[in-house]
Amino acid sequence: MLMKVYEHFAYLYVRGRYSRFSEKMAEILPMILEKFDARPHRILDVACGEGTFAVEMAKRGFQTVGVDISSEMLKFAKEKAKKENVDVKFICQDMRSLDFDEEFDLVTCWFDSLNYLLTIEDLEKTFAGIYRALKEKGLFIFDMNTRYGLAVGWSRYSCHIEQETEDILEIHQASYDFETDIATLRIIGFIRNGETWIRLDEEHKEKGYTLREIRERLRHVGFKELACWGNIKDMSEPQPDSRRVFFVVQK
């Protein structure tokens, strides 16, 4: 399921504003590392998408590996690394079955990618794989959409135009199921192809987890929580209306 939702959306993703989040995280990361006196050399970016964050880290001198389940997204990631003339290893792999053993000083997972895991079991599998991938004392830094963020943030505009240019039209339709805490985002896209238009349809689902559920799964696989923020810029605690939470945990 995870691969299919980005099979066509990748073409809209790389032309939209989505990469700005990864750019911001690349700018903020040095401040976080300084706060925890961390000096990583080798970084694993899980659910790396079209490679913005991984490439930015490589440009700053880090040895970087990017993992994503979407081969389409990785095509764009490889093109970006080549264009920026940096060496990033990109691997097509499901984040629920990571195959690394104490190879990284830092693992990141951005832009609510973990919310795509719709069961607590899959979330724990991913946390466990990341734990194994880290060296002793290594850090895992990630963000997730909160239930409030999905129920209110996603559903504020039940239908809106996400991007519109001469060559692209992208429409989002969102809903939230309060019984399952799963948000559904239907993406309808049109891409100009000469004198005709190609239509793309995808359905994205994200699961809203409580802070307690996330913390329990992290502790269960062995992580120690160093920080949890509702706002990463001022490093403030999550509030009831925080739409996103950021965690810093250590092996």
Side-chain angles (χ1 to χ4, degrees), residues 89-151:
K89 184 177 182 180
F90 290 109
I91 303 171
C92 191
Q93 195 172 107
D94 191 325
M95 60 180 166
R96 293 167 293 189
S97 53
L98 296 173
D99 187 23
F100 303 101
D101 186 16
E102 297 187 350
E103 298 180 37
F104 301 95
D105 309 296
L106 170 67
V107 176
T108 56
C109 188
W110 302 121
F111 212 11
D112 52 83
S113 297
L114 291 166
N115 290 100
Y116 277 87
L117 302 171
L118 302 183
T119 67
I120 198 73
E121 292 79 14
D122 279 348
L123 186 64
E124 182 169 332
K125 284 180 184 177
T126 302
F127 285 164
I130 290 169
Y131 187 88
R132 290 192 300 271
L134 281 166
K135 298 177 182 177
E136 193 68 26
K137 301 298 182 181
L139 296 183
F140 174 33
I141 306 175
F142 65 94
D143 73 276
M144 294 182 72
N145 274 329
T146 62
R147 286 182 171 179
Y148 180 90
L150 291 172

Side-chain angles (χ1 to χ4, degrees), residues 69-85:
I69 196 171
S70 170
S71 58
E72 294 300 323
M73 293 291 270
L74 291 178
K75 288 179 183 178
F76 291 111
K78 292 173 182 177
E79 289 174 4
K80 181 170 291 190
K82 183 177 180 180
K83 181 179 178 180
E84 296 291 339
N85 195 30

Side-chain angles (χ1 to χ4, degrees), residues 56-228:
E56 284 298 317
M57 290 298 97
K59 286 165 64 175
R60 296 165 190 245
F62 295 97
Q63 296 179 21
T64 311
V65 175
V67 168
D68 201 280
I69 196 171
S70 170
S71 58
E72 294 300 323
M73 293 291 270
L74 291 178
K75 288 179 183 178
F76 291 111
K78 292 173 182 177
E79 289 174 4
K80 181 170 291 190
K82 183 177 180 180
K83 181 179 178 180
E84 296 291 339
N85 195 30
V86 292
D87 183 20
V88 181
K89 184 177 182 180
F90 290 109
I91 303 171
C92 191
Q93 195 172 107
D94 191 325
M95 60 180 166
R96 293 167 293 189
S97 53
L98 296 173
D99 187 23
F100 303 101
D101 186 16
E102 297 187 350
E103 298 180 37
F104 301 95
D105 309 296
L106 170 67
V107 176
T108 56
C109 188
W110 302 121
F111 212 11
D112 52 83
S113 297
L114 291 166
N115 290 100
Y116 277 87
L117 302 171
L118 302 183
T119 67
I120 198 73
E121 292 79 14
D122 279 348
L123 186 64
E124 182 169 332
K125 284 180 184 177
T126 302
F127 285 164
I130 290 169
Y131 187 88
R132 290 192 300 271
L134 281 166
K135 298 177 182 177
E136 193 68 26
K137 301 298 182 181
L139 296 183
F140 174 33
I141 306 175
F142 65 94
D143 73 276
M144 294 182 72
N145 274 329
T146 62
R147 286 182 171 179
Y148 180 90
L150 291 172
V152 178
W154 271 32
S155 302
R156 170 173 287 185
Y157 307 104
S158 58
C159 183
H160 73 278
I161 296 175
E162 178 65 22
Q163 61 172 317
E164 182 179 13
T165 68
E166 292 182 354
D167 300 314
I168 288 177
L169 176 63
E170 180 181 350
I171 302 169
H172 287 189
Q173 295 177 332
S175 61
Y176 189 80
D177 187 329
F178 286 90
E179 291 188 7
T180 61
D181 287 306
I182 291 178
T184 300
L185 180 67
R186 185 186 178 197
I187 297 174
I188 305 168
F190 298 89
I191 300 177
R192 185 189 294 276
N193 182 26
E195 298 299 318
T196 62
W197 290 79
I198 298 172
R199 173 168 173 159
L200 308 176
D201 287 270
E202 286 192 355
E203 190 174 83
H204 293 236
K205 291 183 180 292
E206 290 197 12
K207 171 79 172 180
Y209 293 97
T210 64
L211 289 179
R212 180 178 179 179
E213 288 174 325
I214 298 169
R215 284 173 165 144
E216 284 178 349
R217 296 306 98 193
L218 288 168
R219 284 197 298 267
H220 193 256
V221 303
F223 278 116
K224 174 186 176 182
E225 182 180 321
L226 301 183
C228 179

